[in-house]
């Protein structure tokens, strides 16, 4: 059962100054994988052990989950892994902008809270400003990975990324959805969905060298697309 947090509440609108890689990792110069919405962190705990050549940072808006994950990280002495509490849309932009060029090489957003109703658009984790910050920090050829088990959640995310014009899908990837996870570890939610025999919708994006739009232009384009989908007639059986 997912416990939702309203990211628009006043408490979560307070910006946090996130620690630099030098304060988070034993070897701060390694490439970074950023997992946005890491929940309890079991996915990253397993992945970081398998990929010591990368630093892994999980950010999560539910503080108790972050505290529990960080305790596991400390107990296992995984020095290429860290968990931070924050609202990604408030605190991540400045952190990514301060990274050395090309240190951020992979961003994943997996099974985010399902704010799929149009009136809850501003509660979704992938907002235009965050996407542009991610795209600005990723060099051409680096990756953004999205997955969800709810079409109404992932479709707006995909639409927003495509509107930015800063990403393309790898040529060999099937569309509209990848059949497999490009990462060697599945999240808890992914395993649960698989056990239930339900589909998971996945998209891997690769950063291109295309120029990014202005934030206001992207916001307006995304709103138009989202509003057109909300206004579309619902078929009746």
């Amino acid at each position: 059962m997912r416990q939702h947090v309203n990211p628009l509440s006043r408490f979560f609108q307070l910006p946090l100054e996130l620690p630099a890689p030098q304060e988070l990792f034993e070897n701060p110069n390694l490439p970074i994988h950023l997992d946005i919405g890491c929940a309890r962190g079991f996915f990253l705990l397993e992945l970081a052990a398998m990929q010591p050549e990368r630093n892994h940072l999980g950010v999560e808006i539910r503080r108790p989950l972050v505290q529990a994950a960080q305790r596991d990280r400390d107990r296992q002495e995984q020095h290429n892994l860290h968990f931070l509490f924050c609202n990604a849309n408030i605190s991540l932009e400045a952190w990514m902008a301060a990274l050395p060029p090309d240190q951020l090489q992979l961003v994943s957003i997996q099974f985010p809270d399902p704010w799929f109703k149009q009136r809850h658009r501003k509660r979704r984790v992938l907002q235009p400003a965050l996407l542009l910050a991610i795209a600005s920090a990723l060099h051409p050829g680096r990756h953004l990975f999205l997955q969800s088990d709810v079409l109404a959640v992932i479709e707006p995310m995909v639409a927003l990324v495509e509107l930015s014009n800063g990403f393309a899908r790898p040529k060999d990837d099937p569309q509209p959805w990848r059949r497999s996870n490009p990462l060697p570890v599945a999240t808890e939610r992914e395993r649960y969905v698989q056990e239930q025999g339900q589909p998971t919708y996945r998209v891997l994006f690769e950063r291109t060298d295309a120029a990014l739009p202005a934030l206001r232009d992207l916001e307006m384009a995304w709103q138009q697309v989202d509003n057109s989908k909300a206004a579309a007639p619902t078929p009746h059986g």
Side-chain angles (χ1 to χ4, degrees), residues 34-222:
L34 171 64
D35 188 49
I36 298 175
C38 64
R40 178 58 178 78
F42 293 121
F43 157 76
L44 280 183
L45 287 160
E46 185 175 350
L47 185 65
M50 295 176 61
Q51 296 183 340
E53 72 279 4
R54 270 181 175 164
N55 286 326
H56 302 263
L57 177 64
V59 297
E60 170 60 46
I61 200 170
R62 292 165 288 188
R63 192 194 297 268
L65 299 185
V66 173
Q67 293 170 334
Q70 189 66 12
R71 285 195 296 269
D72 286 346
R73 175 263 188 196
D74 293 343
R75 185 163 47 250
Q76 297 176 22
E77 297 184 350
Q78 291 181 265
H79 302 300
N80 67 326
L81 172 63
H82 210 98
F83 296 97
L84 292 176
F85 160 75
C86 75
N87 181 342
N89 280 288
I90 300 298
S91 301
L92 267 183
E93 184 173 350
W95 185 84
M96 288 189 288
L99 291 174
D102 200 29
Q103 185 167 23
L104 184 65
Q105 298 191 0
L106 169 64
V107 177
S108 54
I109 305 176
Q110 305 180 75
F111 303 93
D113 286 344
W115 300 111
F116 51 81
K117 293 182 180 179
Q118 200 268 350
R119 68 175 184 270
H120 291 153
R121 177 171 53 211
K122 291 185 178 180
R123 299 184 185 184
R124 298 172 187 165
V125 65
L126 190 59
Q127 298 290 327
L130 178 58
L131 175 62
L132 291 180
I134 291 170
S136 297
L138 291 174
H139 276 211
R142 304 310 183 186
H143 293 99
L144 169 64
F145 175 55
L146 310 175
Q147 66 171 335
S148 174
D149 56 322
V150 182
L151 269 174
V153 170
I154 196 166
E155 285 180 335
M157 297 169 69
V158 171
L160 177 59
V161 175
E162 290 178 342
L163 283 170
S164 77
N165 200 38
F167 293 87
R169 303 193 193 196
K171 293 181 180 179
D172 296 335
D173 273 12
Q175 294 193 28
W177 313 112
R178 281 183 60 101
R179 288 185 290 270
S180 62
N181 189 335
L183 301 174
V185 176
T187 70
E188 288 180 274
R189 180 69 186 179
E190 184 176 357
R191 291 170 182 171
Y192 172 80
V193 170
Q194 290 172 342
E195 290 169 0
Q196 300 302 308
Q198 300 299 316
T200 296
Y201 307 101
R202 307 179 180 92
V203 180
L204 182 68
F205 286 105
E206 189 173 277
R207 181 70 170 99
T208 69
D209 59 2
L212 297 170
L215 174 58
R216 179 173 175 79
D217 292 341
L218 182 57
E219 287 176 335
M220 292 178 62
W222 189 49

